[in-house]
Amino acid sequence: MTRDARAKSRQPNGASSIFRGKDGRWHGYVTVGTKDDGKPDRRHVSRKTRPEVTRAVRDLERQRDKGTVRKAGQSWTVKTWLTHWVENIAAAHVSENTIDGYRVAVYHHLIPGLGAHRLEKLEPEHLERFYKKMQDSGSAAGTAHQVHRTVRTALNEAVRRAHLTVNPATIAKAPRLEEEEVEPYSVEEVQRLLAEAGKHRNTARWVIALALGLRQGEVLGMQWNDVDFELGVIRVRRGRLRPRYQHGCGDHCGRKPGFCPQRINTRRETKNVKSRAGQRPIGVPDELMALLRQHKEEQDRERRVARDLWTEKGYVFTSPTGEPLNPNTDFHRWKDLLKAADVRDGRLHDARHTAATVLLILGVSDAVVDAIMGWEVGKSARMRRRYQHLTSRVLKDTADKVGGLLWGTEAPRNSRGADPGASQSPVPVELVIHVARLGERRVPFLHREHAEKVVGQWSEDWPSHTAGVEEWDRWRWEHAGPGGTLAVRDRMPVRVVVFHARAVFLAGGERLVTSLPEEWSVPAWEFETDAYTDRPSAWRTVRRPGPEQEVEAHVRGTDKGAVEAAFVEACAQAVDRAQNPGRYGDTDDW
């Protein structure tokens, strides 16, 4: 072979190469980028046969073109990555309570169960078998689900830093959680709880939980400068953290750190609430304000009795010596209160569900509910669905007596001025769901005017289809409506006209002539996820299955001019793809 012939047969610099080595195996090299020292980053793959190594090389080239090639350098195991992530990355950016949960999941579950795997070799099936093994060993589904969320977060960070190309935890099926419906306490149960609470210290603490729905940390972190007696307002600013103790005796007492006589709390007592919505003022009923004044007087008497033992920190609810209440102690006091009042067992957080449901029954507007409960705009609808429970027991026991729920005032009449007992439906008018029936589709709205506008526009767009507005009560929609309460909308959906363009090309690049239109447009609402788009234009080409090897170009978008311009580009690629299938990975031939 002449020098000129050899020069013509050489691949250009940076191109992939495939050859058979002296060891009898086929080898491939792909340049995927540049190393930190400026040299080309050449990756090596080896297979037994040429077709196998060809597919491996092409797969690596696709990863390079998409920017998903795994970063070269340290070879991580699951153990080393999780340890590095939880101690050096997560610990600096999440709250104390969150990092505690991460550490339990990492050190008690993930590392013992999966730590030996190479990070890049971890598969979704490994995770799914691990979750099943956890549950078979006695772990609750909620524990396995929390472990799944932790490993998903950790591996997302590995993907972001190019140590992984794909997060297997986003593919793995998480353990199924059977979410139990929380049953709020009835009128009689709340009254028994409040009557029993009046016999103990910190009576107002339980009234606040049941009447205002504050979280445990928000109540225990409240200080007197957060209470405005003149305006009748409580300002939520901070939350109490669970203490974390270490030995103060040099670990000589033989007990756990929390029971050491000289224990030292290594964690701050409070932290600011986690969102701007959480920092909120709450209007307080006069009866509760009177209880808080009484509680302040009782605390002053305790301060005088304790004398030098009193530690003044300004908290509303304290121990007999002025220290903030321990959340664990507070939880046990709640359990004792339930037993003493002969009320069914429940979580302390169920008091918050009870308060949210009372606001629902009272017909309080969503904006006010969000402000009282501390929910962020944009997430509030989901939180209301989670916390406000329209159960038959609540409707029966509470709707006609909510005015006397806490202090025996006269029950309010409904918004139409009629006797509540005369209503044909147990659901107040504020709880009706207005459903736009659009052909076979049903779309629920909180406000009737939104449903009517959608039905009116739909009838103009599709005059041959039936459309109308139906009224469902919230309970019926929650249990029988498609999508449940998650689908209920509190605003008008977006409607756009979507322009389409489509062409089909034969294997050689010739355009296939069909009776179907190449360009058309249709109206689409944002709830029609199969037809809606908010992009000016988007296009794709795809090889159709079958022996004809046809290639289709399809464009759609909201801007007609952008769609037409993109259609030209899509057709050009479709022709090239039809003529050169190997260039697009449509054939196994090299």
Side-chain angles (χ1 to χ4, degrees), residues 213-232:
L214 267 64
R215 302 173 180 90
Q216 182 193 39
E218 293 172 342
V219 178
L220 301 188
M222 188 188 306
Q223 297 181 359
W224 284 115
N225 56 16
D226 301 324
V227 182
D228 192 325
F229 287 103
E230 292 184 5
L231 295 178

Side-chain angles (χ1 to χ4, degrees), residues 505-510 543 548-551 575 577-581:
F505 297 87
L506 300 174
E510 181 182 355
R543 182 172 294 277
E548 294 83 4
Q549 296 292 296
E550 297 171 346
V551 177
V575 171
R577 186 167 187 170
Q579 296 173 343
N580 304 285

Side-chain angles (χ1 to χ4, degrees), residues 375-448:
W375 293 330
E376 292 187 39
V377 177
K379 299 180 181 178
S380 55
R382 178 177 62 85
M383 297 305 292
R384 285 195 298 273
R385 288 190 293 268
R386 180 178 176 183
Y387 279 83
Q388 294 185 321
H389 306 273
L390 188 59
T391 63
S392 58
R393 180 168 184 174
V394 172
L395 288 172
K396 183 178 180 181
D397 291 352
T398 310
D400 59 342
K401 297 187 291 185
V402 69
L405 178 62
L406 301 181
W407 297 283
T409 55
E410 182 180 353
R413 304 171 73 84
N414 63 23
S415 59
R416 291 168 290 187
D419 188 334
S423 175
Q424 294 182 352
S425 170
V427 183
V429 67
E430 294 85 355
L431 304 182
V432 171
I433 301 297
H434 306 281
V435 180
R437 179 173 49 80
L438 313 173
E440 299 298 322
R441 183 192 296 270
R442 282 181 167 84
V443 184
F445 294 90
L446 287 179
H447 307 293
R448 184 177 181 86

Side-chain angles (χ1 to χ4, degrees), residues 323-337:
E323 293 288 345
L325 293 179
N326 188 310
N328 187 51
T329 302
D330 183 68
F331 168 78
H332 289 294
R333 294 291 176 269
W334 167 255
K335 292 294 185 180
D336 294 340
L337 184 64

Side-chain angles (χ1 to χ4, degrees), residues 57 120 130 151 189 222 253 262 271 376 380 537:
V57 166
E120 69 274 11
F130 171 63
V151 72
E189 289 172 325
M222 188 188 306
C253 65
Q262 304 176 45
K271 68 168 184 175
E376 292 187 39
S380 55
S537 68

